Amino acid sequence: MLEDVGTREKREQMVEYQIQERGICDPLVLSAMLTVPRHLFVPDTLITHAYEDRPLPIGSGQTISQPYIVALMTALLAVHPGDSVLEIGTGSGYQAAILATMGVTVISIERKEEVLQIAERNLNRAGIRGVSLVRGDGTVGYPSHAPYKGIIVTAAAPKIPDSLVNQLDDGGRLVIPAGDRYIQELILVERRGDRIIQTMHGAVRFVPLIGEEGYLEEYDL
Ligand code: SAM
């Protein structure tokens, strides 16, 4: 069953029609999206939908992001093999798997224990190495391993957390959806010496980032 729906052909179509046609051409990103078996990161009941052009529920009110959004955020991060990246919001583990497949060292923080366990199972069954999973509030980052070349936040923040900007390396990039609960702007924050540069990359919709520098607990789904 897992092999039936997880063909290379489905990934080739996903990459060509959902990602390349929308303008993403970074070869490292495309190659990782072709390689990682996305169907191993969705619940078994949704496996036949794994390669569709949309996010899917993964349990506990959380989601695995749409393939295009994963590719877009990864391309904006513009990291290279050997770089260290902090991910906030492990979810299914799929985004972390894409980064690890690109040769990046990933620390991924998830606030929900049951979601973290799902991610661990998914990463193991997909044979992904190079991801360290941490349970905690990622809105304050993970200072013990800072600075990071890339920080990717895969939940909707009310504002850009100062802690995350402070943990960016020189030349480092933070990709984060920020806005209200219903619609956010995908923002790229770059640190260049003492300068912090922000650019906007379109409207997105994510589940809320909950924590000290995020939304209050009551916003949990
Ligand atoms: N990157 C994931 C993937 O590839 O499947 C999708 C992440 S899902 C859209 C957002 C995740 O962020 C949820 O699992 C949620 O529990 C988590 N989250 C929300 N607030 C958080 C916080 N303060 N720290 C860490 N994780 C958080």
Side-chain angles (χ1 to χ4, degrees):
M1 173 71 175
L2 290 182
E3 279 69 31
D4 286 347
V5 296
T7 60
R8 172 99 184 170
E9 199 183 341
K10 279 184 189 283
R11 285 197 290 285
E12 282 172 0
Q13 287 177 0
M14 174 186 85
V15 166
E16 184 175 348
Y17 298 115
Q18 299 176 35
I19 297 172
Q20 283 182 291
E21 277 205 359
R22 289 178 174 134
I24 292 175
C25 53
D26 181 330
L28 210 54
V29 175
L30 298 180
S31 164
M33 300 285 301
L34 273 176
T35 308
V36 175
R38 181 173 163 93
H39 60 285
L40 299 183
F41 291 84
V42 304
D44 289 350
T45 50
L46 293 175
I47 217 157
T48 54
H49 301 282
Y51 294 97
E52 292 175 3
D53 191 15
R54 61 181 172 121
L56 292 170
I58 57 167
S60 299
Q62 306 306 321
T63 53
I64 175 173
S65 303
Q66 180 189 4
Y68 168 65
I69 295 297
V70 174
L72 174 62
M73 292 177 79
T74 311
L76 287 172
L77 211 54
V79 282
H80 302 100
D83 285 348
S84 69
V85 168
L86 179 67
E87 181 192 25
I88 319 297
T90 313
S92 69
Y94 180 68
Q95 174 71 71
I98 294 291
L99 289 164
T101 302
M102 292 166 63
V104 164
T105 303
V106 186
I107 297 175
S108 184
I109 308 183
E110 170 58 52
R111 80 180 260 273
K112 292 194 168 189
E113 177 60 33
E114 71 273 20
V115 175
L116 202 63
Q117 281 175 17
I118 292 170
E120 188 170 24
R121 182 207 61 177
N122 294 345
L123 289 163
N124 282 339
R125 69 181 184 174
I128 304 290
R129 303 274 170 268
V131 179
S132 304
L133 298 178
V134 176
R135 163 110 195 274
D137 173 11
T139 65
V140 293
Y142 198 58
S144 61
H145 287 60
Y148 302 97
K149 277 288 177 209
I151 301 179
I152 181 167
V153 182
T154 59
K159 64 173 184 57
I160 298 168
D162 289 339
S163 301
L164 299 186
V165 177
N166 292 339
Q167 288 171 39
L168 271 184
D169 206 349
D170 191 15
R173 295 171 153 233
L174 161 67
V175 178
I176 180 167
D180 65 30
R181 276 193 63 192
Y182 305 102
I183 187 106
Q184 304 93 36
E185 184 71 28
L186 192 57
I187 302 176
L188 170 64
V189 181
E190 295 174 79
R191 174 184 287 283
R192 289 193 207 146
D194 291 340
R195 291 170 63 217
I196 299 291
I197 298 149
Q198 281 189 29
T199 48
M200 310 291 179
H201 297 273
V204 287
R205 188 173 183 182
F206 276 84
V207 297
L209 180 74
I210 302 203
E212 200 175 313
E213 294 191 47
Y215 281 104
L216 301 172
E217 195 92 25
E218 294 92 274
Y219 284 87
D220 204 357
L221 296 171

